Each structure stands twice: as structure tokens, then as C-alpha cells.
Amino acid sequence: METFVTSVRERGGDERVRGHYDAESHQKAPVTSLQAKTMVDTAEAEQLLRQGLGKRGNRQESPGDTAATTDSDMLSNGIHGYEQLTQSATLQWVKRLVTMTLVPIFLIMFVPNLVILIWYTVMHCEGSYMKMYSVFQGRSVLAGLRDIWSLVNYPSAPIVWILIGYCAYALAMMKLLPGKTVTGPLTPKGNTPVYKDNGFVFFVLTIVLFWALTLALRPFGLSPSILYDRFDEVLSLLNIFSLFFCAVLYLKGRFCPSSTDSGSSGNLIFDYYWGMELYPRVFGFDIKVFTNCRFGMMVWALLVCVHAVKSFELHGFVDSMFVSAFLQILYITKFFWWEAGYLRTIDIMLDRAGFYICWGCLVYIPGLYASVSYYLVEHPVNLGPFVTLLFLALGALSIYINFDADNQKQEVRYADGNCLIWGRKPDIIRAKYQLENGDVRESILLASGWWGLSRHFHYIPEIMLAFFWSVPALGDNIMPYSYVIWLVILLTHRSYRDDTKCGKKYGSFWNQYCKKVPHKIVPYLF
């Protein structure tokens, strides 16, 4: 998918942005999100980029006080003198040290262990986290991790060549496959990313090629299940690759950024962790489209197929594996069908291409998101026809609701509000905001249909779907529900993050919207 960036200043005029698309996707980086409120570009411009703000004034900030002036804390209005206290130079220095240095160092060093722990739990602890935890009892965490890593094999030549071959194939298809031209959201610096929308064609072609090669290689004793058998090698290779990949992205952003949506915080560690560029491109290839879509999401689908093949080789047809694999593939199909919409979410429009998001897409998605089917290979469950059909029907219904919610917002956006939602004229708010250069833009906030039930109602069917592709494992272990638990935490946090971003971007318009739709995710509860 070829990407480049154009500027509204070059085109001239006050281009009106039709529609509001602040919905988020769960293919997100796996670690606790830093809002990057302390990131410094050209002062207020970086603040706008991270939080989606309209420019509220002409005051300029210095790099030294950006963190203090852009920070927002719930306690600031509740404790007398808190605002003055938090603006002290010493406390601000401590806050920057923690958020921009210590936390990134901890996450960069710790999170690569997470996927290895999942692998170890499945392959050496019968899928039991309690057995995995016993490795750490009576000893240090480092000692336990050292013993676990000692069981991980170095990447073998077949695994290395499979990764190289897939990356070459995916990059080639980004260029060669046909697709219409679509645009991403306008950035605060006036740039509009442009993409070739060929993700769905790529997905279908890749799945067809996978099964064709699986059948063609079977007479020669070759099987894609080698990826299951050597998954420790896969994870170790992806961890190594992602660390070097993010270093290359840092150097590129430092010395040859692709657009004005880039900059440094002045802290090398934080720049490596968060990233230097919003829309990096190398030789015309959009990096975030490759890592998030062509690698993260597509490899997730391929691993599910690999697990299904391995399960069939060991046990024949197993209905629990079929339910889990079918629902995951159906969801990923929906993702690629809607990929142009995903390119307008927070993953793309706010998160820079650094360790935070790239490690998540390159390593965490393959390591965690496909973990249910990974577990079911060695733990087959016979559900029976009735339960199988029930789980399939409820999972498919969840996908439909999720898709319909996203589609409602797209319809209203493209029709500029002149359409029907559930048979009625949509309830909308035309929210104005400003870019960094002072240009006024307008977005549509939809307050009816699914979006009238809660501000992030589409998270509910997403969580339901993940539950229905996990529940075929039943209740022997909690490990198969790791992704569901992670998703609940991620989306709950993201609802706060999105509300903060939109509140600062749209101001009083967002307050008006929240009065119409008072609940974040669960109607009448939360």
C-alpha cells in the first residue's frame, strides 16, 4: 500500500473535513499507553499531534515547560495548591524522568518476555499459569526468566527464510495489487496521508495461497505446522528483528523524516520508545501500514490457519478449534474489508512509529492474539453440534454489530449527515476545531444509532467476539482467556484516552456530545 503525504497549504483553501472518525481499533500496541504529553516538537504543534487538539491560542511554550503546561490531572481541581505544586521545577523533572526515561526502559526490557511466557505456559506448563508461576517461587524474577529463556531455541534457517520470504511478498503486494486511492485524516500540521486501499485483496490472496501451498507441499512431507513446532524460534526472531527495526526507524526519523509530522523529544530513549515520525515511509512503503496491517493482522490470521493445520494433523477435525479459528478469521476478514476505516484510527493518526506500536504489531499480536488456537492444539475440546452452532452464531452476531457500528459512522461522515440511521435522521453535532496553522475544520459527532447508546459501544461486541472464540477452550485454564482479559483492559483505558483527546480537541462541542451520550462503553453502567 503506497503512501505519501500532501499538504492543505499546497492545495490552498479551507478544506472541510466531513465526519468524525475517532473510533479506535484493538490492534494496538500491547503496553500501557503513555499519552506522550511531554513530547516536544516545535512546542504546541507536538501537543496538538498527540492529543488531537485544536489550537487554543498563540502562546508558545519552551521545551522545558511543555510537560507542565500540557499535563492534565483529575486532582488539579480537587486539592488546594495542587496546580502550583505540580508546576514546580523539581517535580516536573522527576515526572519527565519517570515517564520519558524510566518507564520506557522498563517496558523495552520487560515486554519481550511476555510472549515467551505465553509460549512457555502452553508448551511446558500444560497451559496453566499457576504451573508457570511456580518457576518463580522462592527465587528472583530474573532467575526464573533466565531458566525459561534457556529453553528457547535460536532462530533456525527455515524460520529466518520464512520471515524474509513473507516480508518480501507482503511488500511486493503492497505495490503490485490494485486498489483505489483513499486518504487518512488531516494532521494538525496540515498533511493528508494518501493510501492505496488493497488490503482486502491482499488478505484473500494470502489466505488462498496459504491453503494452496499447504495442499501442494503435503505429498512431500512438508507442512506449515513447522511454525507451531518452532514457535519459540519465531518469537525470538521477531523480538530481535523488532528491536533492530525500531532502531532503524529512529535513525530514519532523526536524519531523513518523511514529512513535517516528526520531531524529537530531546530524549533518545523516549524517541526510540515512542517514535520519531507519525507517517514514516521507506522507498514509498508506508511503515505503519506494513507493521500494523500487512504483518501484525495478516500474520495473526496465518498463525490461526497454522494451528488449525496442526490440530488436524494430530486429532482430525475438532469442533472447538473450528469455532475459534473460524471466528478469528471472520473477524480479521472484516478488518481488512474495513481497512480504509482503520487508517483513520488512533493507531495510525496519533501513535508514532516506534517501539510502542511496532513491537506490539510485530511481536505481541502474533504472540498473544492467536494464543487461543495455539492452546487448543494440545487441548482439544469436543463441544457437540448445538454448542458449536451457538458459539458460531453469537460470535457472528458480535462481528455484525461491530461492523454495523463502524459503518454507521462512515455513512454519516460521507453523507454529511444526510442519511438515515435506524430509519431516522441521525442526531449529530457539528464540532469545529482548529489546526496548528489556525485553519478551522469541522467534524461530525454522531449521537444516535449504536453511537447513541454509549460513546464507545463498538467495544462491547469486540469483547463479546473475543470471548466467543476463547470460550471453546472451556474452563480448565485461564490462559485461553488472556486475550479477552487484555482486551478489556486495553479498551477501558482507550475509552478514557479517546475522551481526553476529543474533549481537548472539540472543547464545548464534546461536552455537548457527552450530555447527549453520557456513558463511555456499557449503557447505564459505565
Side-chain angles (χ1 to χ4, degrees), residues 1 158-176 202 206 237-238 241-242 245 285-287 289-291 294-296 298-299 302 361-362 366:
M1 179 175 292
I159 298 301
V160 172
W161 282 111
I162 287 173
L163 175 65
I164 293 175
Y166 175 76
C167 290
Y169 159 77
L171 290 170
M173 293 303 102
M174 288 173 68
K175 290 287 188 180
L176 298 177
F202 170 78
T206 305
L237 177 60
L238 291 179
F241 171 73
S242 67
F245 182 76
F285 293 100
D286 186 279
I287 296 299
V289 171
F290 172 75
T291 57
R294 300 301 185 268
F295 198 95
M298 192 68 243
V299 169
L302 292 174
C361 293
L362 294 173

Side-chain angles (χ1 to χ4, degrees), residues 203 207 296-306 329 332 336:
F203 169 76
I207 292 296
M297 292 301 294
M298 192 68 243
V299 169
W300 175 12
L302 292 174
L303 285 175
V304 170
C305 294
V306 167
I329 295 298
I332 299 169
F336 279 102

Side-chain angles (χ1 to χ4, degrees), residues 171-290:
L171 290 170
M173 293 303 102
M174 288 173 68
K175 290 287 188 180
L176 298 177
L177 292 178
K180 65 180 181 180
T181 299
V182 296
T183 60
L186 186 70
T187 72
K189 293 191 176 182
N191 298 317
T192 301
V194 182
Y195 307 94
K196 182 193 286 186
D197 184 17
N198 57 8
F200 183 72
V201 177
F202 170 78
F203 169 76
V204 173
L205 175 64
T206 305
I207 292 296
V208 170
L209 288 176
F210 172 87
W211 288 107
L213 287 173
T214 299
L215 295 176
L217 295 175
R218 189 172 183 181
F220 302 96
L222 300 175
S223 171
S225 61
I226 185 178
L227 293 171
Y228 173 87
D229 299 329
R230 303 187 184 186
F231 198 51
D232 56 331
E233 298 179 28
V234 174
L235 294 177
S236 62
L237 177 60
L238 291 179
N239 264 319
I240 295 169
F241 171 73
S242 67
L243 292 173
F244 282 101
F245 182 76
C246 293
V248 172
L249 290 181
Y250 166 79
L251 293 174
K252 180 195 176 301
R254 185 80 176 179
F255 298 108
C256 51
S258 301
S259 74
T260 55
D261 291 296
S262 61
S264 172
S265 67
N267 183 321
L268 185 150
I269 295 171
F270 188 77
D271 287 345
Y272 176 85
Y273 169 78
W274 183 254
M276 296 285 290
E277 296 186 80
L278 184 63
Y279 293 112
R281 295 171 311 286
V282 177
F283 300 120
F285 293 100
D286 186 279
I287 296 299
K288 286 166 73 175
V289 171
F290 172 75

Side-chain angles (χ1 to χ4, degrees), residues 8 11 14-22 183-188 190-192 344 349 412-414 416 429-435 439-445 505-506:
V8 294
R11 295 195 304 267
D14 182 13
E15 178 183 312
R16 178 178 177 182
V17 177
R18 291 190 171 185
H20 165 63
Y21 220 98
D22 286 317
T183 60
L186 186 70
T187 72
N191 298 317
T192 301
R344 305 182 67 87
M349 63 186 286
V412 171
R413 171 175 170 264
Y414 287 119
D416 195 29
I429 296 173
R430 297 187 180 275
K432 291 181 171 57
Y433 64 98
Q434 288 181 311
L435 299 178
D439 290 346
V440 177
R441 295 290 184 268
E442 181 182 278
S443 288
I444 292 179
L445 307 180
K505 179 177 182 179
Y506 299 114

